[in-house]
């Protein structure tokens, strides 16, 4: 990547100098010459992960073989240990979290459970028309499986509140929109949903690890999320399902498996659920993926999530301010809300040649995302990004947008 020679403004240097999270950058193995603005899609490699994976493969698997399920490695309880680390980040109790499976599978488990405890006779699943595709597809598929008797009411995310009517069985929302970065009011919408008797499911894919989440305090019923984005668990890292403690005994378990049984090796014919949300982990835990996630979560051990949020807002507002002059001379449109409460940890713009722009940025080592149809998406992760990174990224974006190739028009 070509770094600009324009000096870093003193105010940005000052922000980095007094950054309480500056030390955590050294914990991530980022390649030189890269400004990584895509940790909201795949978090980078945490320093502790390679050794942990090597230990899990060579010692726990290679040497200890099957003994690791119950021996020192205690693979059997690895999902529970990861749940304990995750709990603080999302305002949950460890026993309310089932770690394992993809987020998509967890959406299925959550929706089946939520429909099972919703008031009888309700037939509406309320969601965001622009929700991440997997959430929409799972709802469509589960509805088909249940005989098609539900209406999937998909409305703009700015109109959720007015569609929360007493026929809504379940409200299925993603807190932060993956395209625009708009953050919904999790607490407020949960309260409104409860006021009309609806059950809530929150997809925290772009929330957990990016800012504090308080599932317990807001009274949310169910939640799901990814392990490989802001939690840095690595490609294909296990996701998780949150079930509020008050629902554990009544929420139906759609995928019952032997690993969710109270006594796994009893091999009983009857399913007796394990205590806590562990009952929602149906099959054999994904040990290698869980090991990486377990190690990566230590990045948050000594970090105050309020510091993460404060720095995230500082990084995103700095980025928006530095980008502002470009909006006057390029067909760029900011689609992320400027109000701090209404955005997550990403900033997105529409541009008619967004795909080509992101291709050129990536070639310069400024890695963000293109999302259909015309979105340039930049994710900001406070654990390893600085205001200097933001400055250099905007210099690179300026060079690409002002460059002849795009000015000439890209098909
Ligand atoms: C909001 C949201 N939900 C779910 C997913 C997908 O989860 P998975 O592919 O792990 O099932 C993603 C991203 O891939 C996402 O952004
Ligand atoms: N999960 C992904 C994958 O397996 C490959 C490429 C990208 C992803 C993503 O995470 C996409 C992401 N959910 C998004 O917000 O766009």
């Amino acid at each position: 990547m070509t770094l600009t020679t324009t000096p870093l403004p003193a105010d940005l240097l000052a922000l980095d100098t007094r950054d309480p999270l500056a030390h955590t950058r050294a914990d991530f193995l980022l390649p030189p010459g890269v400004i990584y603005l895509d940790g909201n899609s795949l978090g980078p490699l945490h320093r502790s992960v390679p050794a942990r994976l090597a230990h899990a493969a060579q010692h726990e698997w290679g040497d200890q073989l099957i003994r690791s399920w119950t021996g020192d490695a205690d693979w059997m309880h690895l999902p529970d240990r990861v749940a304990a680390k995750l709990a603080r980040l999302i305002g949950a109790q460890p026993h309310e979290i089932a770690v394992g499976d993809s987020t998509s599978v967890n959406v299925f488990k959550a929706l089946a459970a939520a429909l099972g405890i919703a008031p009888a006779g309700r037939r509406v699943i309320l969601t965001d028309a622009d929700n991440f595709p997997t959430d929409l597809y799972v709802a469509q598929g589960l509805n088909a499986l249940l005989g098609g008797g539900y209406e999937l009411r998909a409305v703009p995310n700015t109109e959720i509140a007015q569609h929360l009517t007493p026929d809504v069985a379940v409200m299925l929302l993603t807190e932060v929109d993956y395209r625009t970065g708009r953050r919904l009011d999790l607490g407020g919408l949960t309260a409104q949903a409860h006021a009309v008797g609806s059950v809530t499911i929150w997809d925290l894919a772009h929330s957990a690890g990016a800012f504090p989440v308080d599932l317990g305090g807001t009274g949310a019923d169910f939640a799901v999320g990814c392990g490989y984005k802001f939690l840095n668990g690595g490609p294909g890292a296990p996701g998780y399902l949150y079930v509020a403690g008050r629902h554990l005994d009544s929420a139906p378990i759609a995928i019952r498996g032997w690993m969710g049984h109270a006594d796994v090796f009893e091999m009983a014919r009857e399913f007796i659920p394990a205590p806590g949300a562990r009952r929602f982990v149906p099959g054999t835990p994904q040990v290698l993926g869980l090991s990486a996630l377990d190690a990566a979560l230590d990045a948050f051990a000594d970090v105050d999530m309020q510091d993460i949020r404060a720095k995230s807002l500082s990084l995103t507002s700095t980025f928006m301010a530095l980008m502002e002059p470009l909006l006057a001379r390029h067909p760029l449109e900011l689609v992320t809300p400027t109000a701090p409460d209404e955005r997550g940890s990403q900033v997105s713009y529409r541009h008619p040649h967004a795909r080509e722009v992101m291709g050129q940025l990536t070639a310069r080592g400024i890695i963000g995302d293109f999302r259909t149809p015309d979105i340039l998406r930049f994710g900001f992760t406070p654990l390893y990004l600085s205001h200097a990174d933001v400055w250099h990224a905007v210099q690179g974006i300026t060079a690409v947008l002002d460059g002849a190739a795009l000015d000439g028009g890209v098909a």
Side-chain angles (χ1 to χ4, degrees):
M1 182 191 58
T2 321
L3 283 182
T4 174
T5 49
T6 319
L8 181 66
D11 57 334
L12 299 188
L13 181 62
L15 287 171
D16 283 345
T17 307
R18 58 170 191 265
D19 173 10
L21 299 174
H23 64 285
T24 58
R25 182 187 182 95
D27 293 338
F28 291 89
L29 302 175
L30 286 157
V34 162
I35 298 178
Y36 195 57
L37 305 179
D38 215 355
N40 50 338
S41 193
L42 175 67
L45 180 61
H46 188 265
R47 177 178 294 283
S48 65
V49 170
R52 174 64 182 273
L53 280 175
H55 182 78
Q58 288 162 4
H59 174 68
E60 297 175 7
W61 178 13
D63 298 338
Q64 293 301 309
L65 293 163
I66 203 160
R67 291 170 289 190
S68 278
W69 281 111
T70 50
D72 289 345
D74 191 17
W75 287 342
M76 198 61 84
H77 294 104
L78 186 51
D80 312 330
R81 294 197 293 280
V82 174
K85 290 183 182 176
L86 186 54
R88 183 177 69 88
L89 305 187
I90 60 173
Q93 299 297 317
H95 74 279
E96 296 174 310
I97 305 174
V99 181
D101 300 323
S102 66
T103 308
S104 304
V105 170
N106 283 309
V107 174
F108 182 91
K109 289 189 269 187
L111 186 54
L115 290 172
I117 61 167
R122 296 197 182 198
R123 284 286 171 261
V124 174
I125 300 168
L126 177 64
T127 193
D128 173 356
D130 288 323
N131 206 341
F132 191 73
T134 218
D135 300 60
L136 300 175
Y137 302 160
V138 166
Q140 292 160 6
L142 185 54
N143 183 26
L145 193 65
L146 295 174
Y150 288 90
E151 173 200 344
L152 187 60
R153 188 178 293 165
V155 304
N157 64 24
T158 47
E159 295 172 16
I160 296 290
Q162 66 217 57
H163 288 279
L164 261 174
T165 43
D167 54 349
V168 173
V170 173
M171 182 182 80
L172 167 64
L173 294 175
T174 296
E175 185 182 12
V176 177
D177 183 294
Y178 76 104
R179 279 200 184 93
T180 64
R182 174 181 293 280
R183 178 183 179 183
L184 300 180
D185 176 6
L186 188 152
L189 285 169
T190 298
Q192 286 181 50
H194 288 171
V196 292
S198 312
V199 182
T200 60
I201 305 174
W202 289 97
D203 185 333
L204 303 178
H206 299 270
S207 311
F211 50 79
V213 177
D214 186 9
L215 291 174
T218 53
D221 300 292
F222 297 89
V224 299
C226 301
Y228 50 75
K229 296 178 185 288
F230 290 96
L231 302 179
N232 309 309
Y240 56 90
L241 166 67
Y242 164 84
V243 181
R246 63 186 179 279
H247 297 315
L248 278 168
D249 288 334
S250 52
I253 305 163
I255 311 176
R256 298 174 181 205
W258 74 304
M259 283 280 167
H261 194 280
D263 189 348
V264 173
F265 289 105
E266 176 69 16
M267 308 283 184
R269 292 190 173 184
E270 187 194 355
F271 180 78
I272 298 172
R278 179 60 194 255
R279 66 187 60 187
F280 287 93
V281 176
T284 304
Q286 301 120 305
V287 170
L288 297 178
L290 283 165
S291 298
L293 177 59
D294 188 40
L297 282 173
D298 287 340
F300 293 93
D302 301 318
V303 166
D304 185 336
M305 290 306 293
Q306 301 295 345
D307 285 343
I308 294 220
R309 178 59 171 164
K311 184 172 170 187
S312 160
L313 288 176
S314 180
L315 292 172
T316 49
S317 33
T318 300
F319 182 73
M320 287 191 275
L322 293 174
M323 288 286 287
E324 181 80 32
L326 290 174
L327 272 60
R329 61 179 193 268
H330 290 287
L332 270 181
E333 180 198 346
L334 176 67
V335 295
T336 303
T338 51
D341 285 352
E342 292 175 20
R343 68 178 191 266
S345 204
Q346 70 176 65
V347 179
S348 302
Y349 297 86
R350 287 191 197 286
H351 187 285
H353 305 304
R355 188 191 294 272
E356 292 79 8
V357 171
M358 192 51 77
Q360 292 196 22
L361 286 172
T362 303
R364 296 173 74 99
I366 299 167
I367 302 179
D369 252 322
F370 161 74
R371 283 289 173 265
T372 54
D374 57 0
I375 298 279
L376 290 165
R377 184 177 78 167
F378 303 96
F380 293 88
T381 35
L383 288 178
Y384 51 84
L385 288 174
S386 63
H387 294 82
D389 290 322
V390 172
W391 170 256
H392 291 306
V394 176
Q395 303 308 304
I397 295 167
T398 304
V400 165
L401 289 177
D402 287 349
L406 288 163
D407 284 347
V410 178

